[in-house]
């Protein structure tokens, strides 16, 4: 005899009452354990027997014993109740943020400079939440959020992206980096002419900084012809250090540039060009409690301007 096909029509209260009576061999004891009246426990067991069309318990004035059918149902009912208990306990842990998983994406630069400290501080408060960090080129971050491959991301504020909800975290600026061998004064004002008069090392065409540079260059009628294109900011800095030209990179890379004594840096069009950095999530997906906790933590800890880190 198998009960698996018919369990779907039964109530958990009925199964719990039957299991408790079967294990205690007493309706009185079961009623006390379940905090129900004895008549309520008896009714639940009778309803279960009626639903199955089987006698599950033999009752006498002194004892209660399982029938053959009851003995077969008992381990099935026990397993269902245990699995449910485990699921409820797990759900409560998720709701209380005692465990969970957060999938988070940001640029390789942010992953190296800022995010490790924020994740470290978050893990101190939530040690059993697992963080999955996708250090992804900026041009791919919005797609990861839109496809549901990550819960949250930090990236440049998208334009006209129907599936993305964005909350501004910071307005970053741009830096012109150049070889110090050029001999420019600290008072030198970086202009578009610096990009056209010297070899221009451009970030890749899908990079958000590259998009901003190209867009604003077109707005002022400047045509940029890169001498070299690279995928990562570190590579651009290295080429500049080698005297191969100039580049425009995100302002929050200042701390990296400072480690290269042969590379100078100047604000670039800072009054006109800003990189709006935002916390991104899918507009139509509910964040898990763990992801919601990390989102709130990130918003609180994220620097409001580049000079904070």
């Amino acid at each position: 005899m198998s009960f698996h096909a018919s369990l779907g029509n039964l109530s958990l209260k009925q199964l719990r009452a039957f299991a408790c009576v079967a294990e205690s061999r007493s309706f009185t004891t079961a009623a006390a354990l379940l905090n129900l009246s004895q008549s309520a426990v008896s009714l639940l067991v009778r309803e279960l027997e009626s639903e199955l069309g089987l006698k599950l318990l033999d009752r006498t004035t002194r004892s209660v014993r399982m029938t053959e059918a009851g003995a077969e149902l008992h381990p099935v009912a026990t397993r269902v109740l245990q699995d449910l208990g485990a699921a409820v306990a797990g759900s409560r842990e998720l709701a209380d943020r005692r465990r969970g998983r957060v999938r988070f994406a940001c640029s390789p630069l942010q992953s190296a400079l800022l995010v490790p400290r924020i994740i470290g501080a978050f893990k101190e408060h939530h040690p059993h939440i697992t963080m999955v960090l996708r250090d992804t080129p900026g041009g791919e971050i919005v797609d990861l959020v839109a496809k549901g491959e990550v819960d949250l991301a930090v990236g440049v504020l998208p334009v006209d992206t129907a599936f993305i909800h964005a909350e501004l975290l910071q307005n970053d600026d741009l830096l012109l980096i150049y070889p110090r061998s050029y001999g420019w004064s600290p008072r030198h004002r970086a202009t578009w002419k610096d990009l056209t008069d010297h070899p221009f090392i451009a970030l890749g065409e899908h990079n958000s900084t590259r998009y901003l540079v190209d867009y604003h260059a077109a707005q002022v009628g400047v045509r940029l012809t890169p001498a070299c294109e690279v995928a990562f900011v570190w590579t651009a800095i290295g080429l500049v250090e080698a005297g191969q030209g100039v580049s425009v990179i995100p302002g929050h890379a200042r701390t990296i540039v400072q480690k290269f004594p042969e590379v100078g840096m100047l604000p670039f069009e800072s009054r006109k060009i800003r990189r709006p950095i935002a916390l991104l999530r899918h507009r139509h997906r509910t964040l898990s409690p763990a992801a919601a906790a990390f989102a709130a933590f990130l918003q609180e800890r994220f620097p409001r301007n580049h000079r904070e880190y």
Side-chain angles (χ1 to χ4, degrees):
M1 183 185 304
S2 174
F3 295 97
H4 293 279
S6 56
L7 280 179
N9 297 323
L10 309 181
S11 78
L12 291 170
K13 286 185 177 180
Q14 293 168 350
L15 290 176
R16 192 173 288 112
F18 161 70
C20 198
V21 173
E23 291 163 11
S24 65
R25 298 188 178 185
S26 166
F27 279 87
T28 302
T29 302
L33 291 171
L34 295 171
N35 198 26
L36 296 172
S37 67
Q38 186 172 333
S39 60
V41 174
S42 296
L43 177 61
L44 287 169
V45 172
R46 285 199 302 272
E47 289 174 346
L48 178 61
E49 291 176 325
S50 174
E51 185 69 39
L52 294 174
L54 294 168
K55 188 76 168 175
L56 301 175
L57 298 170
D58 284 331
R59 309 159 176 83
T60 68
T61 56
R62 294 186 177 181
S63 66
V64 177
R65 300 177 64 88
M66 286 186 286
T67 64
E68 182 179 347
E72 185 170 337
L73 175 62
H74 181 255
V76 178
T78 299
R79 187 162 57 251
V80 169
L81 294 170
Q82 288 175 343
D83 290 347
L84 176 66
V88 169
S91 297
R92 285 175 178 162
E93 286 187 348
L94 291 175
D96 294 340
R97 303 176 183 88
R98 291 198 297 270
R99 68 177 181 86
R101 184 177 69 147
V102 181
R103 301 169 303 163
F104 176 67
C106 62
S107 72
L109 195 61
Q110 292 280 20
S111 297
L113 291 178
L114 174 65
V115 169
R117 283 178 287 174
I118 292 179
I119 288 179
F122 179 74
K123 292 284 284 183
E124 289 181 7
H125 292 82
H126 305 283
H128 301 297
I129 291 179
T130 301
M131 297 296 303
V132 180
L133 176 60
R134 297 278 295 271
D135 46 347
T136 304
E140 300 175 13
I141 287 176
V142 170
D143 285 342
L144 290 178
V145 178
K147 292 175 182 177
E149 294 183 23
V150 296
D151 306 303
L152 297 163
V154 167
V156 173
L157 192 68
V159 178
D160 297 330
T161 306
F163 296 107
I164 304 297
H165 174 78
E167 296 178 53
L168 183 66
L169 295 172
Q170 174 196 97
N171 272 311
D172 195 20
D173 61 358
L174 298 180
L175 287 179
L176 172 69
I177 56 174
Y178 61 94
R180 288 197 182 274
S181 60
Y182 284 8
W184 290 351
S185 163
R187 297 180 180 179
H188 179 87
R189 183 184 175 192
T191 66
W192 293 105
K193 192 173 185 296
D194 294 320
L195 303 189
T196 56
D197 286 357
H198 299 86
F200 177 48
I201 301 162
L203 298 174
E205 60 180 7
H206 296 299
N207 186 283
S208 58
T209 299
R210 169 70 179 276
Y211 171 81
L212 280 174
V213 171
D214 286 351
Y215 173 80
H216 286 278
Q219 295 296 106
V220 294
V222 173
R223 181 179 178 82
L224 296 176
T225 304
C228 183
E229 285 191 13
V230 299
F232 298 104
V233 170
W234 290 275
T235 310
I237 296 172
L239 287 169
V240 172
E241 183 186 41
Q244 297 303 302
V246 300
S247 187
V248 177
I249 62 174
H252 60 246
R254 279 175 170 80
T255 53
I256 293 179
V257 178
Q258 290 168 357
K259 300 178 185 298
F260 292 79
E262 299 305 315
V263 178
M265 57 181 167
L266 294 166
F268 184 75
E269 295 289 322
S270 57
R271 295 182 180 179
K272 298 178 181 178
I273 306 177
R274 288 290 184 179
R275 295 176 68 251
I277 306 299
L279 177 63
L280 311 177
R281 62 180 177 86
H282 199 288
R283 188 177 297 277
H284 304 303
R285 294 176 185 266
T286 300
L287 291 177
S288 69
F294 184 66
F297 192 87
L298 185 68
Q299 288 172 306
E300 179 183 339
R301 298 297 183 97
F302 203 89
R304 294 301 160 185
N305 62 70
H306 59 74
R307 290 179 178 82
E308 293 181 36
Y309 59 96

